[in-house]
């Protein structure tokens, strides 16, 4: 099988624990559409994970969905991608979709590596106010109390 040299170097640096070097190698791949489908999926997936802070929520979400659509080979990669998407959906007030993605992530996490993170994300989702609660707070002026003089 043909493997792109940047992909090989990036995964090598990830095994060593050098995330910055791996990120550099993944970002230097300018045309992932020319790679075989599985490698293309992993390049898009890793670019989305590494660059989530710089490129924004919408682009990260579209990249993760594209990578999942192409097919990630490993179950733990599918679980991580779904967990990231659930976090994005929770941030954008799409709770039902986020809880569905977390349930799918649980199914893919066969070794229990992400069990802690999934339960933490579920706890954070429970503490988040719903859309109705946000609307009520806005109608009441943010819950500010007026001081009577």
């Amino acid at each position: 099988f043909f493997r792109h040299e940047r992909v090989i170097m990036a995964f090598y640096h990830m095994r060593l624990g050098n995330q910055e070097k791996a990120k550099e190698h993944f970002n230097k791949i300018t045309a992932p559409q020319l790679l075989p489908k599985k490698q293309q999926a992993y390049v898009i997936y890793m670019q989305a994970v590494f660059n989530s802070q710089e490129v924004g929520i919408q682009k990260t979400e579209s990249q993760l969905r594209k990578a999942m659509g192409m097919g990630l080979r490993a179950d733990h990669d599918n679980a991580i991608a779904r967990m990231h998407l659930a976090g994005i959906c929770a941030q954008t007030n799409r709770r039902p979709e986020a809880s569905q993605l977390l349930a799918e992530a649980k199914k893919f996490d066969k070794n229990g590596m992400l069990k802690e993170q999934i339960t933490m994300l579920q706890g954070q989702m429970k503490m988040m106010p719903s859309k109705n609660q946000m609307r009520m707070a806005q109608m009441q002026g943010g819950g500010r109390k007026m001081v009577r003089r």
Side-chain angles (χ1 to χ4, degrees), residues 124-141:
Q124 288 175 352
M125 281 178 45
K126 287 179 185 175
M127 291 179 5
M128 288 174 54
S130 67
K131 284 185 179 180
N132 193 29
Q133 289 171 335
M134 293 290 286
R135 201 172 301 122
M136 291 299 290
Q138 288 174 349
M139 287 171 50
Q140 294 175 357

Side-chain angles (χ1 to χ4, degrees), residues 43-55:
V43 168
I44 292 171
Y45 162 67
M46 294 308 292
Q47 284 176 344
V49 170
F50 281 137
N51 298 328
S52 61
Q53 298 294 322
E54 291 97 26
V55 297

Side-chain angles (χ1 to χ4, degrees), residues 1-53:
F1 288 103
F2 168 74
R3 299 261 188 233
H4 195 275
E5 63 270 4
R6 294 272 181 206
V7 174
I8 293 170
M9 289 301 295
F11 281 124
Y12 171 74
H13 285 292
M14 284 184 65
R15 280 191 196 104
L16 294 178
N18 193 346
Q19 301 290 327
E20 289 300 315
K21 286 269 190 179
K23 180 180 174 181
E24 286 176 23
H25 284 292
F26 275 121
N27 287 336
K28 285 182 182 176
I29 298 173
T30 55
Q33 66 271 14
L34 300 176
L35 295 172
K37 287 288 183 194
K38 295 292 181 182
Q39 288 183 44
Q40 182 180 355
Y42 272 97
V43 168
I44 292 171
Y45 162 67
M46 294 308 292
Q47 284 176 344
V49 170
F50 281 137
N51 298 328
S52 61
Q53 298 294 322

Side-chain angles (χ1 to χ4, degrees), residues 83-139:
M83 195 177 71
H84 276 286
L85 273 176
I88 290 171
C89 290
Q91 285 179 350
T92 56
N93 287 330
R94 293 182 283 167
R95 271 192 188 178
E97 188 179 354
S99 59
Q100 177 189 3
L101 285 165
L102 278 178
E104 290 174 12
K106 266 187 187 176
K107 288 178 189 174
F108 278 110
D109 187 29
K110 292 182 172 77
N111 296 334
M113 291 173 21
L114 301 172
K115 191 174 186 178
E116 241 178 73
Q117 286 90 347
I118 291 172
T119 54
M120 185 176 69
L121 193 56
Q122 285 175 334
Q124 288 175 352
M125 281 178 45
K126 287 179 185 175
M127 291 179 5
M128 288 174 54
S130 67
K131 284 185 179 180
N132 193 29
Q133 289 171 335
M134 293 290 286
R135 201 172 301 122
M136 291 299 290
Q138 288 174 349
M139 287 171 50

